[in-house]
Amino acid sequence: MLLVLGLVNAYVFIWRDESALADLGQLGATSIRGGSGPLPPLGDAPEHACSGDPVRIFDGLDDLVRLEATLSGGYTLRLALLHLGVRSDELDRIESDVRSTVDLSLLGGSGAPVRVAMDRFGGVHALEIELAEGHVLQACRERGEEPAFTVRNIQHPLRSDVVVVAFELGRDAELRSAIEAIDEKPELADIVAEHLAHDVDFMNEARPGDTVQVMIEKRWLGRHFHRYGAVMAVRFRGAAARVAYFYYKPEGGEGGYFDREGRRMRRSLLRTPIRYHPVHADARAMLEPSMEVALGRLGAVYRVREGAPVVALGDGEIREVGRTLEQGNYVDVELRDGTIARYAHLLRAVGELEQGVTVRQGQVIGLAGHSGRTPHDRLRLELWVEEDGTMTTIDPMRLTAKGAHRPLVQGEPIPERQLERFRSDTAPWLAALQMAKR
């Protein structure tokens, strides 16, 4: 046994290219090239950037990193793109090409939504700015070594419908494939997963036969479907949970999603630090997080694709962004309750993250990778708390706790005096969800 362990250590620390000895004298973290197996990298640059759809510029780019910002609070287009993690060397070209169609000075502070689809290294392949209702500016990356964008200015009458979409997860328990099977657009999977992220992790906890009904706005530009809009209600029945939430704004209170008892959906922590993305059925067994003790510190390891989006578990602020030989690129977020979440082995951080920058729950703060000392693509999550003046790690599996041990609900419930009206107002929505064909 000792001989076998000696040979394994010799292989890991001497013969392999990513060995610890190879790190000596280097400041950079170890890089291990991703493979092409059941978990290939996410966000490869596509051969063709955009489809021929007249209004849906993001069609066919579902495996890219999709992010959105708003041109408000003094944000210019350049600042918004930096915030989204776009490579700085592309900004001049994007601005130059967009400027030929719209005055950039008019965009700053306009409140216009900006949406991008980019590869995992920050290269933009499609960009959309929603200038006004029914008026969008879109930019599509042209083929070639030098970045250049074809810009189109689209104006059509806006039509909005509210529909109930109902579906059941198939044998592979894959959310996106179930949605595509009913001829809905794949981005609906991201919307559903985001709105249920406090109760079910669709990467790990989804099971065949789970059902979802969602009441959602569908927005059309002229005769062409453009995108999904606001979610009014969502209902999930499955192995992980049985929940239904409705958007409501109590008198004198903040709008949000509530269950039928008037309790808020939002909790202090999400169930996973990995934003939903589809994974091949053959690789699903790899997705469940495992516990790991490294250098005396407890952490959870998520086996995910390089480029998988990593999100803030809760509201907080950046405490540190750095790099070590052991943990590679990492981001530390101090949550509102004082807990510190460390995200390690990242490919890179996303956006202009530095100490003191505020982040919101669910915001993409990095992309999973294989930096540091690790044999494969992954994310290592550590949770730290201060006890008697000493920082110690705690069990990160508290994210998926059940019952009374779940993370606390955030926000005030609907006042008792308004509860009857809330139930009356949302009763038609609940009936529509329940009656939807499955």
Side-chain angles (χ1 to χ4, degrees):
M1 180 64 70
L2 291 177
L3 177 61
V4 170
L5 290 175
L7 291 173
V8 170
N9 284 329
Y11 169 70
V12 171
F13 293 107
I14 298 178
W15 293 320
R16 290 181 63 177
D17 291 338
E18 65 272 14
S19 67
L21 294 180
D23 284 336
L24 295 177
Q26 299 181 11
L27 295 177
T30 305
S31 292
I32 304 174
R33 188 175 303 278
S36 58
L39 286 174
L42 185 71
D44 280 333
E47 182 177 356
H48 301 287
C50 305
S51 70
D53 190 281
V55 299
R56 287 181 52 80
I57 196 170
F58 297 115
D59 264 3
L61 303 181
D62 302 298
D63 284 336
L64 294 185
V65 181
R66 298 275 296 275
L67 299 174
E68 180 174 339
T70 303
L71 298 179
S72 59
Y75 260 32
T76 63
L77 179 61
R78 175 178 285 263
L79 287 176
L81 294 178
L82 281 172
H83 175 73
L84 295 177
V86 174
R87 285 204 319 261
S88 57
D89 61 338
E90 291 211 311
L91 297 177
D92 289 338
R93 172 57 64 185
I94 293 173
E95 285 192 322
S96 175
D97 292 342
V98 171
R99 188 181 289 115
S100 64
T101 304
V102 65
D103 185 349
L104 295 182
S105 64
L106 300 178
L107 294 179
S110 65
V114 177
R115 307 178 186 96
V116 299
M118 63 182 181
D119 60 47
R120 64 185 181 276
F121 302 110
V124 173
H125 296 270
L127 165 73
E128 179 176 86
I129 307 172
E130 196 159 346
L131 300 173
E133 295 288 338
H135 186 188
V136 295
L137 186 75
Q138 298 179 335
C140 179
R141 189 185 188 99
E142 298 175 354
R143 297 184 63 183
E145 295 183 3
E146 291 297 325
F149 294 85
T150 299
V151 180
R152 60 189 188 185
N153 193 1
I154 301 172
Q155 295 188 64
H156 290 296
L158 174 66
R159 177 168 62 91
S160 177
D161 300 329
V162 175
V163 301
V164 175
V165 178
F167 57 91
E168 180 178 308
L169 300 190
R171 294 180 60 184
D172 61 357
E174 171 49 47
L175 180 60
R176 183 179 291 183
S177 63
I179 286 173
E180 291 178 324
I182 58 171
D183 294 327
E184 292 291 340
K185 302 300 183 182
E187 66 264 27
L188 181 57
D190 304 327
I191 296 171
V192 169
E194 178 184 355
H195 281 77
L196 290 168
H198 296 93
D199 294 281
V200 56
D201 171 11
F202 278 95
M203 302 283 289
N204 289 291
E205 298 177 317
R207 298 293 182 266
D210 291 353
T211 61
V212 178
Q213 300 91 43
V214 55
M215 179 178 289
I216 191 168
E217 177 191 23
K218 298 182 79 170
R219 299 168 67 89
W220 303 72
L221 294 179
R223 296 177 300 168
H224 304 284
F225 175 67
H226 178 220
R227 65 180 181 88
Y228 296 98
V231 171
M232 285 71 157
V234 61
R235 183 172 182 260
F236 176 83
R237 292 292 184 269
R242 297 176 65 84
V243 294
Y245 297 110
F246 309 86
Y247 185 83
Y248 196 74
K249 189 178 187 306
E251 293 180 9
E254 182 181 355
Y257 291 92
F258 299 84
D259 66 15
R260 289 287 286 172
E261 303 304 316
R263 297 172 298 221
R264 287 190 179 267
M265 171 187 72
R266 198 173 192 271
R267 293 181 178 269
S268 59
L269 297 174
L270 299 176
R271 292 187 71 77
T272 175
I274 306 296
R275 192 172 77 172
Y276 167 79
H277 58 277
V279 173
H280 193 277
D282 292 343
R284 291 190 67 86
M286 302 181 184
L287 301 181
E288 188 172 352
S290 59
M291 302 303 295
E292 176 186 78
V293 177
L295 299 178
R297 300 193 304 269
L298 180 66
V301 173
Y302 295 79
R303 178 77 164 95
V304 290
R305 305 162 69 178
E306 177 188 318
V310 173
V311 301
L313 290 169
D315 295 336
E317 64 178 42
I318 299 298
R319 179 167 176 143
E320 187 175 0
V321 179
R323 181 173 64 189
T324 68
L325 289 175
E326 183 68 31
Q327 294 199 315
N329 301 319
Y330 68 87
V331 173
D332 289 350
V333 178
E334 184 170 353
L335 305 176
R336 284 183 175 175
D337 65 356
T339 303
I340 296 173
R342 167 165 288 191
Y343 304 78
H345 303 301
L346 299 176
L347 172 67
R348 63 183 181 95
V350 168
E352 298 291 282
L353 300 184
E354 58 185 16
Q355 186 177 10
V357 169
T358 300
V359 295
R360 67 185 186 280
Q361 187 178 64
Q363 176 181 332
V364 175
I365 59 173
L367 302 179
H370 46 259
S371 61
R373 202 162 282 133
T374 173
H376 50 67
D377 305 331
R378 68 177 187 167
L379 169 74
R380 176 182 164 91
L381 174 71
E382 296 176 5
L383 297 180
W384 295 70
V385 296
E386 184 174 352
E387 296 179 351
D388 300 325
T390 302
M391 298 301 294
T392 59
T393 54
I394 58 176
D395 184 4
M397 289 296 100
R398 63 171 51 188
L399 304 181
T400 56
K402 301 287 187 179
H405 300 289
R406 294 186 64 188
L408 298 177
V409 172
Q410 299 290 289
E412 295 296 323
I414 293 176
E416 186 69 29
R417 67 182 183 277
Q418 298 181 37
L419 194 53
E420 184 177 348
R421 180 178 176 182
F422 159 72
R423 289 173 175 162
S424 176
D425 289 345
T426 57
W429 296 3
L430 177 60
L433 295 177
Q434 293 173 334
M435 293 173 60
K437 184 178 179 180
R438 300 175 184 178

